[in-house]
Every structure is written in C-alpha cells, then in structure tokens.
Amino acid sequence: MSEAFGGSARSINRRIDSLARERDSIGRILVQAELHSVREEIESVKQSLEQIEELLCGTRN
C-alpha cells in the first residue's frame, strides 16, 4: 500500500512526523502572537490609567 503513495512506510512516517512538528511550531507561534497582542493592550491601558491618575491628582494640565 505505501508504494502506491510513492514511498516507503518509513518515508511516510518521517513526513507525518515532520508535519506534526510544523503544526506544533505554528501553534506556538500563534500563542506567542496572541500574548504579544495582549501585552500591547495592557501597556496601552496602563498608560491611559497613568494619564487619568495625573489628571485626578492635578499634576497634569
């Protein structure tokens, strides 16, 4: 059966393993990208809160 797909069983298994590693790597990249986006949003909110605090304390014009 494996010859019908143009390769040995070992070759097919190596390709499957390679694809699984690529899938896992892409998954990690997507998770990291999401975290980066969340960090940026948190920093933006932090800056907004600092500006509001300055206005409330009267230290900012």
Side-chain angles (χ1 to χ4, degrees), residues 11-50:
S11 175
I12 291 171
N13 285 337
R14 278 196 301 258
R15 182 66 179 140
I16 290 169
D17 290 342
S18 176
L19 289 171
R21 284 191 301 276
E22 287 178 32
R23 179 202 61 213
D24 294 343
S25 178
I26 291 168
R28 285 189 299 276
I29 289 168
L30 291 173
V31 167
Q32 290 171 353
E34 181 70 25
L35 291 177
H36 180 72
S37 174
V38 169
R39 279 191 203 110
E40 287 179 349
E41 186 64 28
I42 289 172
E43 186 60 34
S44 175
V45 169
K46 179 181 171 186
Q47 289 174 0
S48 295
L49 289 172
E50 288 172 354

